[in-house]
C-alpha cells in the first residue's frame, strides 16, 4: 500500500499516530532494516490530503539529513573539518 491509500486507511482505522519510516532497501518491498521512525499525530479533522501534507514535510525534513549522516559515517573522507 502506498500514497493516499495509506492515509485513507490510517484515518479509517481511527489511528491516533502515523509517521514515516526510513529503512534500507532490499529485495523485499518495505522489508529493509529500519534506520529511523518519526511519528506524526493524526488530528481529528485530518483528511488524507492534510495528513499527506504533514507526512511529506517530515520526509523532506528527515530524508536528506539521515542520508547525509549515513553517507558521511560510511565514508570518513567526506567528513567536514
Amino acid at each position: 500500500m502506498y500514497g493516499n491509500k495509506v492515509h485513507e486507511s490510517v484515518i479509517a482505522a481511527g489511528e491516533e499516530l502515523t509517521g514515516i519510516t526510513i529503512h534500507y532497501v532490499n529485495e523485499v518491498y518495505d522489508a529493509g532494516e529500519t534506520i529511523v521512525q518519526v511519528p506524526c499525530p493524526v488530528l481529528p479533522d485530518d483528511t488524507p490530503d492534510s495528513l499527506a501534507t504533514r507526512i511529506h514535510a517530515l520526509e523532506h525534513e528527515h530524508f536528506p539529513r539521515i542520508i547525509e549522516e549515513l553517507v558521511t559515517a560510511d565514508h570518513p573522507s567526506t567528513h567536514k573539518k
Side-chain angles (χ1 to χ4, degrees):
M1 189 180 330
Y2 59 91
N4 262 11
K5 296 229 180 272
V6 172
H7 310 307
E8 291 168 1
S9 294
V10 165
I11 291 169
E15 298 292 343
E16 295 181 2
L17 194 63
T18 187
I20 66 169
T21 300
I22 301 172
H23 60 85
Y24 291 102
V25 175
N26 64 16
E27 63 280 351
V28 180
Y29 183 75
D30 274 353
E33 177 185 352
T34 297
I35 299 166
V36 66
Q37 290 184 307
V38 181
C40 179
V42 180
L43 304 177
D45 61 343
D46 262 332
T47 65
D49 288 337
S50 65
L51 186 54
T53 297
R54 289 201 319 286
I55 291 292
H56 292 153
L58 288 175
E59 291 171 342
H60 294 164
E61 176 185 353
H62 293 281
F63 268 92
R65 178 181 57 79
I66 295 297
I67 291 169
E68 182 174 357
E69 288 175 8
L70 289 170
V71 168
T72 57
D74 289 343
H75 296 86
S77 63
T78 63
H79 287 251
K80 297 177 184 169
K81 296 181 182 188

